[in-house]
Amino acid sequence: MNASALHEPRPEVDTTLGRVRGVRDQSTGVCAYLGLPYAAPPVGPRRFRPPAPAAGWSGVRDASRFGPPAAQYFDPHEAPLDELVDAPPASVPRWVGSEDCLTLNVWTKASPGERRPVLVWIHGGANWLESSRLRVYHGAALAAAGAVFVSLNYRLGVFGFTDVAALGDESYAGSHSLGLRDQLAALDWVHANVERFGGDPANVTVVGESAGSMDLSWLIAGGHLDGRARRAVLMSGVAGVPGLAQHDDYDFYAEAEGRRQARELYALLGIDGVSQLLATSTGELLERLARAVPSRDMLFHWDSLFYPRVDGTFLPRTPFEAVQAGAARGLDLMVGSTAYEMSLWLLWDDGLDARDPRELARRLPGFPPAVIPAAAEAYERWFGHGGAGSPGLHLLGDAMFVMPALALAALQAQVGGRAYAYQFTWECADPRLKAVHAADVGFFLGTFETPGAEALIGAPGSPRERAARRELAGRMQSALLAFAERGDPNPLDVAPRERWLAYSTELRSLMLFGSPSRVAYDPLLARRSWWQQHVYGRRLPGAP
């Protein structure tokens, strides 16, 4: 929100908890209501417990500023510091945020009585980093274009995705998924309140990217979107870092594996019991975490650590098993990836793209050991020459993001549900990054010109390139808005030969968002077939 464009009178809305006063951008007419509590602060006796209802207030609550991010280690590669704090400190901090973080934000241009489609954004960050307050995640552009846009914070890392029951107290069972429960509490707030902001509570589309998308797949698996959402968009993330991650003697998704990882983390942090954990302050826990971070690998440890687990109750099965059983048949899905996902992790390991694919596959949690030689041979054959990228990074990207997305789309199609599949192919300014993980966010949300987005994709080198970016962003936003409104991402006047068809196991239609964008049919045939034959066949016949 441009401060110079804010003018009185400030807009006000009555919510179920009390009246709020937001801010209006005079140049666009978009109103923003920021930092709205959707659950009680998870502190004191509520620490490491499921979210509780928020208390109401009397008078008018100021909603002109974002709430604090969830308490987290500060990683400058993930987000600009000045977007995570209200006033940057004199020196770079080791951690930012607060445990009192359960707030959401609403952008709307709707008039009273309107019922516009609602987009709810769940941010990424491997479930231990980032925040909805980052400018690349703001919803003003999509609100100006016709949606009501809601973004939310949820508990992260140690506070939201670590199994406290691993310390011996079973009353904390299920704490590996507190962040998911927070997201559901936010969706309940949306359902109860969004009509007051001009949104249609019967037409909610939940959109997640990276960890946000992975979390969304678990909400689908647990049946938790029933009655809360009509559609879901999963951008670069299904189930978890290892993709399907199951072989005969290992299951990454099991609660037992989550507890093993939690015990290892608590030992690293010097925590040996629940009472000690409860007595340790936010700052002390995060200081210990900050000291531990350099001792472990970013990709294969920290970014693979904070994930929901199958627990038989809240999450009774994996997303793949759930969709295969028809759990998402009543949801319209859009699911996709970028064409070179793993180059993002060059920010933490500059030599990652030179690693032998055998080494990378061995380090990937849950990758079937017996197929590693065949995988390395295939990816070296496909990508071992020319400028198409690293064989190892393509192997990891397919394992973690690309093939799980296609698998989910295929399973949804097999049970009679509808899914649209895409791949983002536009290549950013850095030739090593190409179509990097998260590069599509700014184009879908209309925030591609923000500093955070350009820090990843680079600034446009010419007016022509800037115009091309705007054209691509316009096309992607139009597809997202059309999908949110009517479950079909095609413009009403699309030519038949340019139509983006729902995914099927016959045609395997894939929208390639790039320069230019186009629809292709089974463009990843060789790789998809390899994964079906060597990895997925026994467990998920017919997918991807």
Side-chain angles (χ1 to χ4, degrees):
M1 185 71 65
N2 185 343
S4 65
L6 303 180
H7 296 272
E8 297 290 352
R10 289 171 54 188
E12 295 185 3
V13 172
D14 284 312
T15 75
T16 54
L17 296 175
R19 192 166 182 82
V20 296
R21 181 181 294 131
V23 288
R24 178 183 286 109
D25 188 321
Q26 190 73 11
S27 65
T28 64
V30 172
C31 299
Y33 302 86
L34 310 176
L36 306 181
Y38 65 82
V43 299
R46 297 190 183 99
R47 200 183 200 196
F48 305 112
R49 298 294 188 183
W57 57 84
S58 59
V60 182
R61 182 187 181 97
D62 179 66
S64 62
R65 299 174 64 184
F66 290 99
Q72 61 190 271
Y73 164 75
F74 174 63
D75 186 334
H77 294 303
E78 286 283 344
L81 178 59
D82 63 358
E83 295 185 16
L84 286 170
V85 297
D86 292 329
S91 59
V92 177
R94 293 160 67 91
W95 64 276
V96 295
S98 170
E99 290 189 63
D100 181 2
C101 63
L102 301 185
T103 62
L104 53 74
N105 319 291
V106 181
W107 285 266
T108 181
K109 195 179 178 180
S111 301
E114 287 192 69
R115 294 174 69 87
R116 296 191 178 191
V118 180
L119 291 167
V120 179
W121 175 257
I122 304 177
H123 71 79
N127 276 340
W128 70 301
L129 302 167
E130 300 195 20
S131 169
S132 65
R133 61 187 282 156
L134 300 182
R135 288 178 61 188
V136 71
Y137 298 151
H138 290 191
L142 287 171
V148 174
F149 188 95
V150 181
S151 65
L152 60 103
N153 289 344
Y154 54 99
R155 280 174 284 182
L156 299 173
V158 175
F159 306 101
F161 289 95
T162 304
D163 197 338
V164 178
L167 293 172
D169 187 339
E170 284 298 322
S171 74
Y172 289 95
S175 51
H176 49 67
S177 301
L178 289 174
L180 292 189
R181 295 177 186 270
D182 294 343
Q183 293 163 15
L184 290 180
L187 286 172
D188 288 339
W189 185 98
V190 169
H191 194 267
N193 287 281
V194 78
E195 190 170 3
R196 302 162 188 251
F197 296 87
D200 184 354
N203 193 12
V204 174
T205 299
V206 188
V207 188
E209 189 270 338
S210 194
S213 175
M214 181 271 298
D215 290 349
L216 182 51
S217 74
W218 284 102
L219 294 178
I220 292 170
H224 300 301
L225 293 190
D226 296 349
R228 290 183 171 105
R230 190 170 181 178
R231 303 183 177 94
V233 179
L234 298 101
M235 301 167 53
S236 295
V238 177
V241 166
L244 289 182
Q246 292 176 313
H247 54 80
D248 290 339
D249 58 354
Y250 181 82
D251 187 350
F252 179 85
Y253 304 130
E255 191 171 48
E257 172 60 13
R259 291 194 176 184
R260 184 198 68 76
Q261 289 186 333
R263 285 190 291 270
E264 182 180 281
L265 175 62
Y266 288 131
L268 197 62
L269 301 181
I271 301 294
D272 59 14
V274 171
S275 60
Q276 181 189 6
L277 177 65
L278 293 175
T280 305
S281 69
T282 308
E284 177 59 25
L285 275 175
L286 291 175
E287 286 288 344
R288 294 185 186 193
L289 180 63
R291 291 193 293 268
V293 165
S295 70
R296 298 290 190 275
D297 180 271
M298 185 60 69
L299 172 59
F300 295 108
H301 181 80
W302 297 112
D303 283 353
S304 304
L305 187 59
F306 301 109
Y307 290 93
R309 309 289 171 167
V310 171
D311 57 16
T313 53
F314 182 67
L315 299 175
R317 53 193 172 181
T318 73
F320 302 99
E321 293 165 338
V323 172
Q324 189 175 36
R329 190 183 292 115
L331 289 170
D332 297 322
L333 301 182
M334 183 190 296
V335 58
S337 61
T338 74
Y340 200 48
E341 296 271 9
M342 300 309 300
S343 61
L344 179 69
W345 281 267
L346 292 170
L347 299 177
W348 293 274
D349 182 350
D350 187 60
L352 191 65
D353 54 354
R355 301 282 180 83
D356 188 299
R358 295 161 187 81
E359 174 198 353
L360 296 178
R362 280 193 295 270
R363 299 194 64 192
L364 184 65
F367 194 89
V371 304
I372 289 176
E377 188 278 328
Y379 279 81
E380 286 172 336
R381 183 172 69 253
W382 293 327
F383 300 105
H385 51 81
S390 156
L393 293 194
H394 276 294
L395 172 56
L396 290 184
D398 281 358
M400 297 180 184
F401 298 107
V402 179
M403 295 305 153
L406 295 181
L408 200 77
L411 293 171
Q412 174 78 335
Q414 287 172 8
V415 298
R418 183 163 62 170
Y420 291 88
Y422 75 86
Q423 187 167 72
F424 181 79
T425 61
W426 180 86
E427 297 193 357
C428 62
D430 187 333
R432 289 181 72 195
L433 295 182
K434 303 183 185 298
V436 60
H437 180 80
D440 53 342
V441 172
F443 290 89
F444 269 125
L445 302 190
T447 56
F448 61 98
E449 294 180 312
T450 61
E454 290 192 350
L456 178 63
I457 66 176
S462 66
R464 181 177 180 180
E465 184 182 348
R466 184 177 296 277
R469 292 185 181 196
R470 289 178 175 170
E471 180 181 359
L472 176 58
R475 177 157 191 167
M476 293 174 67
Q477 290 168 70
S478 294
L480 179 59
L481 288 165
F483 180 76
E485 183 174 4
R486 30 186 192 84
D488 184 333
N490 292 285
L492 292 174
D493 59 352
V494 65
R497 62 193 178 94
E498 297 177 355
R499 188 169 187 81
W500 178 4
L501 300 176
Y503 198 82
S504 71
T505 53
E506 293 77 30
L507 294 179
R508 300 185 187 272
S509 172
L510 197 66
M511 170 60 78
L512 304 179
F513 285 119
S515 297
S517 297
R518 64 185 179 90
V519 177
Y521 296 93
D522 211 4
L524 306 180
L525 171 62
R527 288 148 63 187
R528 181 186 61 77
S529 299
W530 186 92
W531 279 83
Q532 176 58 31
Q533 177 184 349
H534 291 86
V535 180
Y536 293 162
R538 255 186 331 114
R539 295 186 180 274
L540 299 175

